[in-house]
Amino acid sequence: MEKLIITAAICGAEVIKEQNPNVPYTAKEIGNEAEASFLAGASIIHLHVRENDGTPTQSKKRFRVCIEEIKRRCPDVIVMPSTGGAIGMSNEERLQPIYLEPPPEVASLDCGTLNFGGDEIFVNTETTIKFFAEEMYKREIKPELECFDKGMVDMALRLRKKGFIKDPMHFNLVLGVNGGITASTRDLNFLVETLPLNSTYTVTGIGKHEFPMATLAIVMGGHVRVGLEDNLYISKGKLAESNAQLVEKVVRIANELGRDIASPYDTRKILGL
Ligand code: KMH
Ligand code: ZN
């Protein structure tokens, strides 16, 4: 089986230190968390950035500073900026990190609108998705197609037919968000069966679903994302001490199941970066 790509989503835009004090805010904290995750086995860092007080931002300048902190510590790691940002941000705000020089190798591209709980809606109209895809294509940035529901996979496939998204596609199947698809074996199979055969996919389980979904992905031949963005706990009721601790747990499961871990070099080859 192909080597396992582990993505560490170290920060997110919604989780805060009051929930887990190990959520990184400052560039230094982000650099440290990224380095430790890389050393533990992650080859991709999915990156959101914050002001020092924790406020989410998509500022290009802030991304530049944080990416420098990461690359100084681990030059080989692949940094995947978020273009989802935080709920309520404008498209212009969200897209800023793709205009960095040099452009990122890969960036997230959210493939639909989603209820995020309560009154919160994460808005991604078809026009937005097409525009983000075009802007990434012009800069030779590979989109990671973030799909929180089956309809979002279908949207990505329609946009591929229309030429907005190129082969081979890479998906991040996110299961267990309030308002998205359920984190169950049935639903993961349903999503995976829909994907083109030449595509690759990562699986993200939210909250308590993180490790069960990761284990399924390891067995099924998919890839895995973990991190404080998605889950604050290392086990039931026990807060994770770091992102690296979450990555280490995936590496342990993968070792037990006989799946080798991809280095950044392997990951670039698998994803065609
Ligand atoms: N923070 C969420 C609203 C992404 O990074 O592309 C969106 C998100 C997805 O995290
Ligand atoms: Zn994200």
Side-chain angles (χ1 to χ4, degrees):
M1 209 180 268
E2 203 164 51
K3 287 185 181 174
L4 178 72
I5 300 171
I6 302 175
T7 299
I10 60 175
C11 174
E14 279 80 25
V15 289
I16 52 174
K17 282 192 193 284
E18 283 71 17
Q19 296 168 289
N20 183 327
N22 303 307
V23 174
Y25 290 167
T26 68
K28 197 166 169 233
E29 287 171 345
I30 283 177
N32 286 338
E33 282 297 303
E35 181 184 23
S37 300
F38 165 70
L39 292 173
S43 53
I44 302 180
I45 305 298
H46 170 69
L47 189 64
H48 291 253
V49 295
R50 310 286 187 98
E51 303 294 354
N52 287 345
D53 67 358
T55 308
T57 172
Q58 287 288 104
S59 147
K60 197 167 132 181
K61 193 168 154 214
R62 188 66 171 176
F63 264 101
R64 187 178 302 120
V65 171
C66 291
I67 291 172
E68 272 168 18
E69 282 287 335
I70 296 172
K71 289 285 186 173
R72 194 162 53 76
R73 291 166 164 85
C74 34
D76 288 342
V77 82
I78 298 160
V79 178
M80 177 205 294
S82 169
T83 67
I87 285 169
M89 285 179 174
S90 69
N91 288 352
E92 291 67 33
E93 248 178 305
R94 286 168 50 183
L95 262 188
Q96 290 178 77
I98 73 159
Y99 301 112
L100 283 163
E101 282 303 334
E105 296 167 87
V106 57
S108 67
L109 172 57
D110 295 278
C111 293
T113 294
L114 185 76
N115 273 322
F116 237 60
D119 289 326
E120 301 206 314
I121 306 174
F122 182 35
V123 179
N124 295 283
T125 66
E126 186 183 9
T127 311
T128 296
I129 304 164
K130 284 178 177 169
F131 177 59
F132 280 31
E134 281 179 324
E135 290 297 287
M136 288 187 201
Y137 183 67
K138 280 187 217 160
R139 285 161 188 74
E140 299 182 9
I141 300 168
K142 180 157 182 147
E144 181 183 78
L145 304 161
E146 313 294 320
C147 297
F148 299 81
D149 217 335
K150 169 69 163 55
M152 298 192 193
V153 176
D154 298 331
M155 169 65 85
L157 295 177
R158 271 198 304 276
L159 295 184
R160 169 204 196 206
K161 240 185 186 165
K162 293 180 181 168
F164 289 93
I165 297 170
K166 313 289 173 205
D167 270 358
M169 303 166 90
H170 176 63
F171 293 85
N172 177 22
L173 307 174
V174 186
L175 299 95
V177 173
N178 191 355
I181 200 163
T182 305
S184 66
T185 313
R186 179 199 65 177
D187 287 352
L188 178 58
N189 273 321
F190 180 43
L191 295 177
V192 171
E193 280 169 13
T194 313
L195 307 182
L197 284 178
N198 65 347
S199 61
T200 48
Y201 67 94
T202 288
V203 175
T204 300
I206 299 299
K208 68 180 180 188
H209 304 294
E210 183 161 83
F211 292 106
M213 287 292 120
T215 307
L216 287 173
I218 293 167
V219 174
M220 290 166 69
H223 303 284
V224 168
R225 172 172 129 174
V226 291
L228 295 175
E229 173 169 347
D230 306 320
N231 164 45
L232 299 164
Y233 295 89
I234 188 67
S235 55
K236 195 172 176 188
K238 206 168 158 210
L239 288 174
E241 288 166 13
S242 64
N243 282 283
Q245 196 186 25
L246 299 170
V247 174
E248 281 162 9
K249 185 162 169 174
V250 175
V251 171
R252 275 203 306 279
I253 297 169
N255 284 340
E256 288 294 333
L257 296 172
R259 185 107 183 252
D260 293 335
I261 308 299
S263 67
Y265 174 80
D266 300 322
T267 298
R268 288 188 172 92
K269 254 178 53 184
I270 295 167
L271 298 183
L273 302 179

